[in-house]
């Protein structure tokens, strides 16, 4: 799997999560909500330290990652992180790898 972060989403991380050089941001499966790839689970995001990352991308000295234990959630899809311009919040798009 691969992770793609749009420039608008990167700005959101700078503003909303105060992400700076050297930060590591994890995407993880959480119980509750729903997504196009799983019912009863949704995607969470937090600053965290990588333990066993299975997918990473480094943009402007910020590392975004998914842990090996959460890879099941993506079910063979790549993750595209964008911004919902109407809500000004993160939007996740899953595309079959």
């Amino acid at each position: 799997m691969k992770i793609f972060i749009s420039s608008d989403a990167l700005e959101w991380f700078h503003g909303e999560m105060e992400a700076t050089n050297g930060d590591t941001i994890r995407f993880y499966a959480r119980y509750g909500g729903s997504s196009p790839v799983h019912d009863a689970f949704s995607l969470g995001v937090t600053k965290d330290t990588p333990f066993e990352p299975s997918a990473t991308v480094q943009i402007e000295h910020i590392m975004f990652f998914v842990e090996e234990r959460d890879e099941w959630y993506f079910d063979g899809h790549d993750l595209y992180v964008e911004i919902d311009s109407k809500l000004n919040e993160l939007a996740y798009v899953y595309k079959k790898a």
Side-chain angles (χ1 to χ4, degrees):
M1 89 164 275
K2 295 180 182 173
I3 302 168
F4 300 90
I5 309 289
S6 74
S7 58
D8 290 343
L10 182 62
E11 288 305 312
W12 185 94
F13 283 106
H14 285 301
E16 297 295 322
M17 293 186 72
E18 300 179 355
T20 59
N21 288 354
D23 281 344
T24 52
I25 297 176
R26 176 180 168 210
F27 297 103
Y28 64 95
R30 65 180 183 173
Y31 184 70
S34 66
S35 75
V37 289
H38 286 288
D39 288 333
F41 289 91
S42 58
L43 195 61
V45 62
T46 188
K47 287 183 181 179
D48 200 357
T49 302
F51 177 66
E52 292 180 323
S54 64
T56 64
V57 65
Q58 181 116 5
I59 303 172
E60 292 185 12
H61 305 288
I62 299 170
M63 186 175 83
F64 298 88
F65 69 100
V66 171
E67 287 286 347
E68 191 175 291
R69 67 180 177 256
D70 289 317
E71 193 170 338
W72 65 268
Y73 173 83
F74 297 93
D75 191 31
H77 292 79
D78 290 334
L79 173 64
Y80 291 76
V81 182
E82 302 172 351
I83 290 293
D84 180 322
S85 59
K86 292 179 183 174
L87 300 174
N88 194 31
E89 63 183 34
L90 294 178
Y92 303 114
V93 178
Y94 306 90
K95 295 182 182 178
K96 201 70 165 165

